[in-house]
Amino acid sequence: MVRRAVSGTLPVLQLASEAVPLVKTGGLADVVGALPAALAEHGIAMRTLLPGYPAVLAGLAERQELSAWPELMGGPARLLAGRAAGLELFVLDAPHLFDRAGDPYRAPSGGDWPDNAERFAALGWAAREIGLGALEAWRPALVHAHDWQAGLAPAYLALAGGPRPGTVLTIHNLAFQGQFPASLLAKLRLPAESFTIDGVEYYGAIGFLKAGIAYADRITTVSPTYAREIRTPALGMGLDGLLRHRADRLVGIVNGIDERLWDPGRDPHLPQPFDADRLELRAVCRRALCDELGLDPATAPLFCVVTRLTWQKGMDLLLEALPRLLGLGGALAMLAAGDPPLEAAFAEAARGHPGRIAVRFGYDEGLAHRIFAGTDAILVPSRFEPCGLTQLYALRYGAVPVVARVGGLADTVIDANDAALADGVATGILFGPPSVEALVDALERAVELFGKPEAWSGLQRRGMSRRLGWSNRAAAYAALYRALAGPQTP
Ligand code: ADP
Ligand code: GLC
């Protein structure tokens, strides 16, 4: 399956730690899984390098061994090629690093795997080898690394010192930086001279994301607003200085949604397909969801959240705002996983308000789809949000987004203020700053608007008709790649 790029197409290698449908803990997987097909329409032949987790190896068809390393970060490793779910994959099969079921980053007992530095350095090293031409038959013009797990790839390529492909790093979330002890430098195959403030050094440690930001030819993040925010001390998480320094290389491109997987008109997870022209059919999904979750269908508006439970997502703010949400007559459907104390607090709220609050903990793809299709509105009170995908899925499925005015949320939802309503452009409710008071205020506005059926269904229809797919966004990536392609010399 390894063949030369058709003339006119640009071969690009992306590497990441997750990709839908093989392995997913968050939106990163959605983006990585969707990019290759979206980019193919723009003449980009993208292949994806993933770690050989059991789920990835199990899903790999047309498997072919391309090369082997007797020793890579503590054990033997092989590079496999194959296909899965429409993706052309390279898989780093290194059982000593990746043959572990469950969460890709954390041990079942909780806590990060102690060898995460070696695990993801190996991934970056494999990308370096492919980038430098280890596979005769396929050589990328460009290497695109996603998040800290891939952050060493641009560093390894730059430090190799010879002609190399261009490199792009995408920051999906600056809160996860991958910091490891300096004592690992040699083991991670990083030269001593790279341990400087301009290199991989970060507050005395090795920073994987920092290294990617320092060495990549271009840096992208997943919305223009987040691209601005991360250059400020408030949201730069210690990297704002470097990001300001590299600002001329930094651009924000909003994520799209994969319209093959997220289309209420033909979504196998839904009891009833619907679209903006058949909005009344949505009521079937709402009733079925209420049945499934044990909610009283008469209570409205029915809000939802589908989220990781972390400080980022502001679910503690929602917990405090719950009495007001109920006081306004609303209900809540929650699908979430994460912080145990928050899970416990929401579980208790559900016990205290049967029929009004329903919670499901754990990861459930089908239920996520049914929730977007069956609730009236989604709440995303994030303290920061690089892009956010759930508000996009909600828009597409007719659940009105009520979101904090940060990051990609600010870039993808148009607030229903009087002017936007009059102009017929509003799609949801924005509030700021992320606080309990502002959230309560937004809930009050949402309930008031919900009481005006025409205005509400206008918001729904407009959101559902927005162009949320990848096509424009993929064009932006393709333009970026083309500007960079071709061998870079030191
Ligand atoms: P983040 O990547 O920060 O978690 P995003 O909004 O970009 O946030 O992406 C989250 C993705 O994970 C979406 O596809 C969302 O539907 C999904 N998701 C989050 N929590 C769950 C859950 N408990 N079950 C199923 N899907 C979930
Ligand atoms: C991250 C961010 C989220 C973004 C996703 C995909 O996990 O938290 O805002 O949508 O990556 O880019």
Side-chain angles (χ1 to χ4, degrees):
M1 64 149 268
V2 177
R3 54 187 112 79
R4 279 184 193 285
V6 187
S7 72
T9 63
L10 192 70
V12 173
L13 176 72
Q14 70 166 347
L15 67 147
S17 56
E18 313 185 3
V20 155
L22 300 166
V23 47
K24 167 167 168 176
T25 70
L28 167 67
D30 293 5
V31 173
V32 172
L35 268 182
L39 285 164
E41 292 171 22
H42 298 271
I44 306 294
M46 179 176 258
R47 295 186 181 198
T48 305
L49 169 66
L50 294 176
Y53 310 120
V56 172
L57 290 171
L60 193 66
E62 298 168 44
R63 186 191 289 218
Q64 205 185 320
E65 182 173 329
L66 300 182
S67 57
W69 295 281
E71 198 284 328
L72 183 63
M73 308 289 164
R78 311 185 291 167
L79 188 68
L80 306 176
R83 298 172 67 88
L87 296 174
E88 300 243 23
L89 292 180
F90 294 118
V91 176
L92 178 60
D93 180 24
H96 66 294
L97 302 173
F98 300 122
D99 186 13
R100 305 170 198 180
D103 187 286
Y105 316 117
R106 296 164 70 81
S109 53
D112 291 345
W113 288 111
D115 58 349
N116 272 350
E118 291 90 332
R119 299 173 78 220
F120 295 108
L123 185 72
W125 190 266
R128 169 199 191 269
E129 295 294 287
I130 300 171
L132 294 181
L135 310 176
E136 267 173 37
W138 193 81
R139 186 176 183 144
L142 203 120
V143 173
H144 184 167
H146 295 274
D147 268 355
W148 76 263
Q149 296 89 351
L152 286 193
Y156 285 141
L157 282 162
L159 291 165
R164 60 168 178 83
T167 54
V168 176
L169 172 82
T170 295
I171 301 169
H172 294 265
N173 195 330
L174 207 56
F176 303 106
Q177 300 189 352
Q179 272 166 256
F180 302 99
S183 56
L184 288 172
L185 204 64
K187 187 165 190 203
L188 302 185
R189 304 184 179 186
L190 289 165
E193 63 270 19
S194 70
F195 196 68
T196 66
I197 191 166
D198 300 322
V200 305
E201 189 270 342
Y202 187 54
Y203 293 105
I206 301 168
F208 277 38
L209 188 67
K210 193 262 164 148
I213 296 172
Y215 287 102
D217 298 315
R218 292 285 188 285
I219 305 151
T220 76
T221 187
V222 287
S223 68
T225 295
Y226 195 58
R228 282 194 299 277
E229 289 169 343
I230 57 179
R231 284 181 273 150
T232 67
L235 288 174
M237 309 224 169
L239 286 164
D240 48 294
L242 177 60
L243 288 161
R244 280 196 298 280
H245 177 63
R246 303 221 65 203
D248 61 333
R249 302 299 161 110
L250 170 66
V251 57
I253 302 173
V254 173
N255 288 331
I257 66 175
D258 191 332
E259 290 175 315
R260 299 166 304 178
L261 302 175
W262 296 94
D263 176 358
R266 49 187 179 119
D267 182 332
H269 298 293
L270 305 188
Q272 168 68 55
F274 62 93
D275 53 38
D277 298 328
R278 293 174 298 163
L279 193 53
E280 64 290 349
L281 295 178
R282 202 175 178 271
V284 179
C285 294
R286 191 181 188 282
R287 264 196 310 278
L289 180 73
C290 288
D291 271 355
E292 180 176 354
L293 297 178
L295 286 166
D296 176 359
T299 312
L302 170 55
F303 294 96
C304 75
V305 291
V306 176
T307 191
R308 292 182 291 118
L309 286 174
T310 63
W311 185 82
Q312 172 189 347
K313 301 294 181 180
M315 285 298 126
D316 52 320
L317 306 177
L318 175 59
L319 192 63
E320 279 194 59
L322 266 188
R324 187 65 188 134
L325 185 154
L326 295 167
L328 287 163
L332 177 69
M334 165 179 266
L335 171 61
D339 183 56
L342 271 177
E343 283 193 9
F346 277 104
E348 190 180 323
R351 275 194 300 277
H353 301 278
R356 302 282 303 277
I357 300 180
V359 291
R360 294 291 181 274
F361 299 118
Y363 185 83
D364 188 335
E365 188 70 30
L367 181 56
H369 288 239
R370 291 191 293 281
I371 286 181
F372 297 129
T375 56
D376 302 313
I378 186 169
L379 300 173
V380 193
S382 302
R383 291 190 165 88
F384 67 94
E385 195 61 74
C387 178
L389 293 172
T390 60
Q391 85 281 8
L392 299 180
Y393 299 143
L395 280 168
R396 187 80 184 84
Y397 280 60
V400 172
V402 179
V403 305
R405 189 181 283 106
V406 292
L409 301 172
D411 292 340
T412 56
V413 176
I414 300 175
D415 183 59
N417 53 48
D418 290 344
L421 281 172
D423 283 356
V425 294
T427 55
I429 291 175
L430 284 163
F431 65 90
S435 66
V436 179
E437 297 69 36
L439 172 57
V440 162
D441 202 52
L443 289 171
E444 286 168 358
R445 288 179 63 206
V447 171
E448 195 191 325
L449 263 172
F450 187 78
K452 302 175 183 161
E454 245 177 65
W456 190 263
S457 63
L459 290 181
Q460 288 179 296
R461 285 206 173 83
R462 224 165 288 128
M464 295 178 76
S465 320
R466 288 278 302 277
R467 295 182 57 193
L468 301 170
W470 268 105
S471 109
N472 293 342
R473 284 85 164 181
Y477 277 108
L480 183 83
Y481 294 162
R482 290 196 192 283
L484 257 189
Q488 312 281 315
T489 39

